[in-house]
Every structure is written in C-alpha cells, then in structure tokens.
Amino acid sequence: MKKVVIIWSSPNTDGLTASAKDRFAAGLAAAGASIDEIHLNIKHLEHCRACGNGWGTCNKTGSCVIRDDFADIYHALTEADGIVWISAVYWSEMTECFKAFFDRLRRCDAAYSHLLSGKRCVLVACAGGTGRGTLECLTQMERGLTHMGMRAYDRIPVVRYSADYMLPVLEAAGRTYAERLETGFDMYY
C-alpha cells in the first residue's frame, strides 16, 4: 500500500478546495492508498526570514531555524510515496499560507536536502471566482516542484463553473494516481 500526502490550503473548510480534496482522497482510498491529509491553514507556519543574508541554515543543513510545524510537515512529505498539492487560488497564486510553506520547503530541499527529488505529484488549483488564475497558479506550483526535482504527474484546474464535472474527475484521478504509484508511470522526463 502506497502512502500519499495530500497537502492543501484554503480557509474555507467546506468550499470548492475542500470538496476537491475530499474527492481526490476518495479516489485514493478506493484504490487502497494510505492517506495523510495536511491542512496548512490550521498549522502554525511562519514566513521565511531569509536569515543569514538569505542563505541561512536551510542552505547549509537543509533545516529551518524557525520552530513551528514546518519540520513535521517536511518529514511527512519525505516519507510519502506520492504528494498531492491542492490550493485555493487568490490573485492567480497559491494561498498565502501555502506560499509561506512552499517557500521554506524549496529553500531547505532544493538548496541542500534533495529529499523530495523524483517524487511524482498531482497539482490541483481551485478558483471560486472567475477561474482565470488557475493555470497561473498551477504553473507557479510546478515551477517550485521543478526546483526541488519533483515531477508533476498531472495538473488539474477546478473552477466553480466546472465543479459539477471536475469533482468526479478528481475522484477518478485519485484512483489512477494511486494505481500508478503501485505500477509505475509511463511518462518520460
């Protein structure tokens, strides 16, 4: 059984992003995956301080000097077979707490640790407004993953106008992703 971490961010626990997370998780569970769900909005996460003139301990040891929930979440990601990144979209970007976590993760992992390199991920961006920012948000997420050597298996935009047909798609995507974690991916990079 493969372990998948779903890391998600939205202050709205019963909105579109939460529904997307629930449907993806249902697909993972149906395929027998073990799921660890991390809701960033309820975690204690500070912003990067750019200590050491921007090249602090993250660059030298792969760890962050800030004592909050970051280290535990990072550890959970390193132990996962797969990672699903889900964020609400604000002004064409990830949520603020998602960005704060992601920035610190990138500094620790890309600069020193490389513990996430090679992991296959799924990216989901959910927009309740016009939906125009989902593709930019997904691009931003993938750029960060690339810095850390991770691979995007799929990128899924969900907007309030497409929710009726995209939520079932997310469940099918979760099932397929779990199966591919078991059997392998047929994609070249």
Side-chain angles (χ1 to χ4, degrees):
M1 178 186 322
K2 296 295 183 176
K3 180 179 179 183
V4 178
V5 172
I6 298 176
I7 190 158
W8 72 289
S9 177
S10 174
N12 187 353
T13 58
D14 63 355
L16 181 60
T17 306
S19 295
K21 179 261 308 170
D22 290 343
R23 294 300 287 268
F24 203 96
L28 290 170
S34 168
I35 304 163
D36 183 7
E37 180 185 315
I38 300 172
H39 185 197
L40 293 176
N41 292 72
I42 62 171
K43 299 295 184 180
H44 174 223
L45 293 167
E46 295 183 28
H47 292 272
C48 178
R49 297 177 187 158
C51 57
N53 290 325
W55 300 102
T57 60
C58 56
N59 188 49
K60 295 175 183 71
T61 67
S63 62
C64 183
V65 299
I66 302 170
R67 299 296 164 232
D68 59 8
D69 292 330
F70 174 80
D72 291 338
I73 299 169
Y74 186 19
H75 178 73
L77 295 176
T78 65
E79 296 292 313
D81 297 300
I83 305 168
V84 181
W85 304 89
I86 304 175
S87 181
V89 177
Y90 298 142
W91 295 283
S92 302
E93 297 183 352
M94 302 173 264
T95 67
E96 288 76 2
C97 66
F98 197 119
K99 285 190 290 187
F101 173 76
F102 210 64
D103 286 344
R104 289 172 62 195
L105 182 67
R106 183 172 36 200
R107 281 185 172 270
C108 288
D109 200 77
Y112 182 84
S113 299
H114 311 291
L115 298 173
L116 301 176
S117 183
K119 291 199 185 277
R120 299 287 181 136
C121 304
V122 173
L123 313 175
V124 181
C126 302
T130 65
R132 289 189 308 224
T134 54
L135 297 179
E136 290 88 348
C137 181
L138 290 168
T139 299
Q140 181 186 40
M141 290 170 142
E142 188 164 5
R143 188 177 307 119
L145 295 183
T146 301
H147 292 158
M148 294 178 270
M150 288 183 269
R151 305 284 191 225
Y153 175 66
D154 203 355
R155 306 132 195 93
I156 306 170
V158 182
V159 300
R160 65 181 169 155
Y161 302 107
S162 68
D164 288 345
Y165 60 86
M166 288 303 291
L167 291 175
V169 166
L170 285 170
E171 193 165 333
R175 198 168 32 256
T176 299
Y177 180 58
E179 291 166 0
R180 294 296 188 270
L181 287 171
E182 287 288 341
T183 63
F185 294 84
D186 57 355
M187 300 169 64
Y188 295 101
Y189 283 100

